[in-house]
Structures are given as C-alpha cells and as structure tokens.
Amino acid sequence: MSIQTAAAAPAVSAKPRTLEVRLAADAREIDAAQALRYRVFHEEMGAALDGGVAGRDVDAFDSACDHLIILNHEAAPGGAVVGTYRLMRRAMADRCGGFYTATEFDIAPLLAHPGEVLELGRSCVHRAYRTGATMQLLWQGISAYVLRHDVKLMFGCASLPGTDLDALAPSLAHLHRHHLAPPALRARALPERRVDLDHLAVHATSGEEVAARFEPRAAIAGLPPLLKGYLRVGGFIGDGAVVDHAFNTTDVCLIVQMDSLSGKYARHFLNRVG
C-alpha cells in the first residue's frame, strides 16, 4: 500500500490561508505524519501495521525519505499535521536498499529511465480535511518538489480499497484496457504476488459476460480520486496488480512521465507551485 486516501468526510472550516504545505523540518513533524498515517490506515481503514512503534505507521523507508506535510496553523501551536506524502529519490533509495514499490513490482524499466525519478507513497489526509483545497495543496507541494529536483519520472503503488478482486474487477479492467503503460515503462507485478488486471476477461466464460459486467462509468467511479487525478495528467499503470492484505488494499503501479504530461491538467499541475 502506498498512494491512497480514505473516503471523504465532512470538512472542517479551516481557511486555505491557515494551511501550509512544505517538507517536514524535524523529527517531531515526521512523528506527527506517522501518527496521522496510523490513524488513517489502521484506525480508519483497518490496516494491520507492524512497524513496532505504538500509534505510528513506521517502516524502514521512512528514515531515508522526505516527508511532505500539510500543517493547519489554527489547530495547534506550530501547526497540526493534517496531510502527508512520502517522497523518495534515487539517492534516498540507495541508502535504504531500494524503493518500496520494488517490494510489489519489478520496476527495472523505471530505474532505467534517464534522469531523476521520484517514488510517491504513504499519502493520507485527516478525514476532516478531505477537500479539493487540501488536495490542491498536496499537488502544489509535489509540483514544487518535482521542479526543484528536475524529476523526470514519478511512480508508486497506487491503492484501490479492499481485496475483493471480483468487486474491483471493473475498475482494474478499465485501468488495463485504457491506461496500460507503454512497454518501455511497463513495470510488472512480481510473479509470486501478481494478479491479473483484466480479471473480468480471465474469469468470464464469454465476451457477452464481460460486456454485461463492465460498465465504464461505474468502473471509473470506483477509482480513488487521487489515482484519477494522475491518470488525467497522462499517468499510466504497470502490468498486473498486487493484493496487500496487511493494508486491506489492491495495488497497481502508477507511472507518470513528466515530459509527456498532457493538456490543461499538466499545466495546472506544473504551474501551481504556490
């Protein structure tokens, strides 16, 4: 599990100017981000976390990463962390033995891509702040980071909620049929963990059965908002999915090539550097 947000909830009345997006500056802010991750992933979404720190989502990658955070300056002295995203570049991955995504996918095609690469992960937002304004702040923070470090390629494990492949089949099939990465960038689910994206076709007995179960609007509606946002700017999906029972999710490998971002969404992404 990596890139995801839980379902929306009634928002607080915090004004945009009270929220700030930036990198965590010290251990206290990183700890607050890990506490938020625990509340969202474990308490809200039922993940079975085993990082060994009570009330925190912690793993071996955290110490090597940058942690993007959203602070609400009205909520607490110094600001309360209400959103977070974990960012890892090549040199950071070298320090901790590789990228998190490589635990689920063969990312050799992505590592072979020239220039800087950026892994996105562990995104979450406090349930009271799941608004368009908060998501815009996350986009601004990522955009500024991409420009600062001249990132050429972004990737990460994008999570669909749940592990019921029959329920997720229309959404997974839509990703496979319309957003599969070109061969040169096609990361693949590790063989021992792989499930087919086109689960409908694999398990159906006829083309008519597939057509009956595949309704495009419902398939798209089943995708998490953050994943849909990446697809709008031209993102792709790798081959195969991975069921992450610990996080109660089904993961696909998201890939975004920066020099091929498309249309108004690309301009919106790269210009909102706040």
Side-chain angles (χ1 to χ4, degrees):
M1 194 293 309
S2 196
I3 303 171
Q4 74 169 33
T5 54
V12 297
S13 59
K15 300 174 183 177
R17 69 174 181 272
T18 71
L19 301 178
E20 177 189 13
V21 62
R22 61 170 171 79
L23 296 181
D26 52 34
R28 180 191 64 82
E29 291 182 344
I30 294 174
D31 179 74
Q34 292 167 332
L36 174 64
R37 283 163 29 183
Y38 183 88
R39 290 194 296 273
V40 173
F41 299 144
H42 175 72
E43 296 178 357
E44 190 176 336
M45 303 176 66
L49 304 176
D50 57 0
V53 180
R56 302 293 186 272
D57 169 38
V58 180
D59 69 13
F61 298 91
D62 276 337
S63 61
C65 298
D66 283 329
H67 297 263
L68 188 71
I69 57 174
I70 294 179
L71 291 164
N72 180 10
H73 290 289
E74 283 189 343
V81 174
V82 299
T84 186
Y85 225 134
R86 191 167 73 181
L87 310 176
M88 179 182 280
R89 291 175 282 118
R90 287 188 193 269
M92 297 170 173
D94 290 343
R95 292 200 295 270
C96 62
F99 289 100
Y100 175 91
T101 306
T103 66
E104 298 188 0
F105 296 88
D106 176 359
I107 59 171
L110 310 182
L111 300 182
H113 194 275
E116 185 63 275
V117 300
L118 174 66
E119 181 186 64
L120 305 167
R122 284 303 204 272
S123 74
C124 65
V125 175
H126 188 289
R127 64 180 290 110
Y129 294 83
R130 288 173 199 155
T131 66
T134 305
M135 294 308 300
Q136 289 293 347
L137 280 177
L138 282 177
W139 280 105
Q140 287 180 35
I142 295 168
S143 177
Y145 194 91
V146 162
L147 294 172
R148 182 181 307 130
H149 295 286
D150 194 22
V151 170
K152 303 301 185 184
L153 184 79
M154 302 192 302
F155 65 92
C157 296
S159 298
L160 283 70
T163 60
D164 183 342
L165 294 177
D166 287 333
L168 293 172
S171 294
L172 294 174
H174 174 81
L175 293 174
H176 176 79
R177 298 174 189 186
H178 299 286
H179 298 286
L180 193 64
L185 290 175
R186 196 173 297 169
R188 289 175 167 81
L190 297 176
E192 65 273 18
R193 303 192 67 182
R194 172 191 170 87
V195 296
D196 288 302
L197 282 173
D198 210 354
H199 188 71
L200 283 176
V202 170
H203 294 279
T205 58
S206 68
E208 289 76 11
E209 181 180 345
V210 172
R213 291 188 58 196
F214 184 74
E215 204 291 307
R217 285 178 295 181
I220 295 170
L223 297 175
L226 192 58
L227 175 55
K228 286 191 283 190
Y230 286 116
L231 297 176
R232 287 190 192 104
V233 301
F236 299 110
I237 299 299
D239 181 38
V242 171
V243 175
D244 187 342
H245 291 287
F247 273 92
N248 192 32
T249 62
T250 300
D251 298 344
V252 296
C253 186
L254 172 71
I255 304 153
V256 182
Q257 192 173 9
M258 302 311 297
D259 63 4
S260 63
L261 292 182
S262 61
K264 64 179 181 179
Y265 295 107
R267 293 192 296 272
H268 184 69
F269 176 79
L270 290 174
N271 288 335
R272 292 190 66 89
V273 296

